[in-house]
Amino acid sequence: MFASPTVRVSLLFVAVALAGLVFADIAITTSNPWRDLGRFFLGVVTPDFFSTEGLATALLRTIAFAFVGVALGSFFGFILALVYKAYPVRMFCAFIRAIHELFWALIFLQFFGFHPLTGVLAIAIPYAGIFAKVYSEILDEADPEPARLLPPGTGAVATFLFARIPDCWVQLRTYTAYRLECGLRSSAILGFVGLPTLGFYLETSFSQGLYSEAGAMLVLFYVLIATMPLWVRPKALPFYLVAAPFFLGEGLPIVWGNVARFFTEDIVPAPLRNNEGLTALGSWFGDLMISEALPGIWNTLLLTQIALVATGLLALLAFPLISTHFGGPVRRTSGHVALVIARSTPEYILAYILLQLWGPSMLPAVVALALHNGGIIGHLIGRQTNGIRLRPDAPTGFNRYSYELVPRVYRGFLAFLFYRWEIIMRETAILGILGIYTLGFYVDSAIQNIQFDRALVLILLTAALNIGIDALSRYIRRRLALQTMPTC
């Protein structure tokens, strides 16, 4: 068993995570966490849908930001996908998707303010990079045979439209619909930086201890996600896309002078802005690296590796919940509901809730990241096991799990897990805004202190870190010959 490369790599990651626990801040600091957790669950099961004014408007704006942002992202992503083989395009797409939506929102807030354009661009820009990568992979896998059957002299554009696109249209449509679900989650958490989406009202209710109000918002969000197949219909999409911009709200007018000042003054390093020379610039950069960047990178990597292994363990424990090889339909239905809730709740919202209940430490972040990503991977692996046919004399119970199913799905499980690695890194960095000492904490502190030059450097370092993890993940998947499918 230990001779298997997949097992050795798995044990290596587990060892790194266990070593990380020695240095991690894992603690519950509130005086009575179980009482608070009980009050929260009581609020979820007794939601108050009529106590919060503007809840319906917040839901509409959450949907509107998602539709407009995802539509723009898919449009420009498709254009970029056509030239994705060019190295500069690949690097550009890798850079823009490596920066989390909340970081983009924090950047645009500095010069657009609380304008709808802030939320739309915060979703559209990173999603364009994601769409470009995935669309390019889908187009590359299209069957070349239909193009050979076209009449001689058919132009490149006609060949593309009538041969390649129809062959992969279902995959393009399916992934775009799935990304819309991701866009709804991204839109919801934009409220935590002040935009009028669901997260804004959720944060307000939690800060005041109004758990029934917060429960109502979470229930409505789950219903919104779960019923997407019912209300997101191809015939209705044109109506949604035309109507969505009108539900974004107006916001404050854009002061274009602030935009110019941001690019010409605010993000210029202070020593250069004050004509202090390269020596002062070196001291400024060194102080930034030692006091903020390096501690932020260390904590981001530490939390990422612990959360990655926790995600894997939870996914392996979760997939039997929906597998047809275990239990009956009632248990599988309950398991399906549990996994839908886990994967539908954004990590940021989960971490925010747990921080309110357990106090500040890395523990809420680890649990939030593991629940969300473990729910996604557990769902995917559970669906894979449903296609496995067991022999009539196959063992039952734990032996069926450990000797029949886990060995068969383990390579696919690792593929999904390594694909999520870079995504977990992105989320880990942004959770710093909640007070955990990852890179996002120092970015948010710099912005609060109106030090946009320092914030920009930290954001660029975050992007570089994500690109590095993505490259390492692809290298490991290639060496282990693991294949993945794109997930949110």
Side-chain angles (χ1 to χ4, degrees), residues 40-41 44-45 181 185 215 218-223 225-226 314 321-322 333-347 349-350 353 368 370-376 379:
F40 166 68
F41 281 115
V44 172
V45 299
E181 179 184 331
R185 293 199 289 266
L218 288 175
V219 169
L220 287 174
F221 186 70
Y222 296 144
V223 171
I225 296 291
L314 187 62
L321 294 176
I322 63 169
T333 300
S334 302
H336 180 72
V337 170
L339 291 184
V340 165
I341 292 174
R343 72 176 190 266
S344 297
T345 310
E347 301 100 315
I349 291 179
L350 279 171
I353 293 172
L371 282 174
H372 176 76
N373 293 284
I376 290 175
H379 172 75

Side-chain angles (χ1 to χ4, degrees), residues 68-316:
V68 177
V70 172
L72 288 175
S74 63
F75 175 77
F76 288 104
F78 185 80
I79 294 174
L80 290 168
L82 303 180
V83 290
Y84 193 75
K85 292 182 179 179
Y87 182 77
V89 174
R90 292 202 308 273
M91 288 298 98
F92 172 73
C93 292
F95 172 74
I96 60 175
R97 70 173 180 264
I99 300 176
H100 194 279
E101 299 91 278
L102 278 185
F103 279 148
W104 283 112
L106 288 174
I107 292 172
F108 292 126
L109 276 173
Q110 308 316 312
F111 48 86
F112 288 152
F114 293 103
H115 191 276
L117 197 57
T118 294
V120 168
L121 292 179
I123 296 174
I125 291 177
Y127 276 43
I130 296 170
F131 275 122
K133 178 178 182 291
V134 176
Y135 282 170
S136 174
E137 293 173 352
I138 293 174
L139 292 171
D140 288 343
E141 294 173 0
D143 186 359
E145 188 61 27
R148 299 192 187 102
L149 300 177
L150 293 176
T154 303
V157 174
T159 300
F160 179 79
L161 292 176
F162 295 103
R164 294 183 67 192
I165 290 294
D167 183 66
C168 54
W169 174 249
V170 174
Q171 296 148 291
L172 293 171
R173 185 183 63 191
T174 300
Y175 182 74
T176 305
Y178 186 69
R179 184 52 58 178
L180 178 61
E181 179 184 331
C182 302
L184 287 170
R185 293 199 289 266
S186 298
S187 177
I189 66 173
L190 290 178
F192 284 88
V193 295
L195 293 172
T197 63
L198 202 61
F200 177 81
Y201 294 91
L202 186 64
E203 183 181 26
T204 302
S205 296
F206 254 102
S207 63
Q208 297 175 1
L210 304 174
Y211 294 127
S212 291
E213 291 185 10
M217 296 174 205
L218 288 175
V219 169
L220 287 174
F221 186 70
Y222 296 144
V223 171
L224 184 70
I225 296 291
T227 59
M228 281 185 65
L230 301 178
W231 59 273
V232 180
R233 299 281 187 171
K235 292 182 179 179
L237 281 178
F239 169 75
Y240 292 146
L241 293 174
V242 171
F246 296 98
F247 289 94
L248 295 174
E250 296 182 359
L252 299 175
I254 297 174
V255 180
W256 293 104
N258 293 340
V259 179
R261 187 181 70 247
F262 180 82
F263 287 102
T264 58
E265 296 182 24
D266 292 345
I267 62 173
V268 177
L272 296 182
R273 191 167 62 241
N274 299 328
N275 297 317
E276 296 176 3
L278 295 179
T279 302
L281 177 63
S283 300
W284 175 86
F285 185 75
D287 174 69
L288 176 61
M289 290 297 296
I290 294 172
S291 62
E292 299 179 21
L294 291 178
I297 290 172
W298 167 255
N299 287 321
T300 301
L301 290 172
L302 190 67
L303 181 52
T304 297
Q305 296 312 112
I306 296 172
L308 181 70
V309 172
T311 294
L313 293 174
L314 187 62
L316 289 176

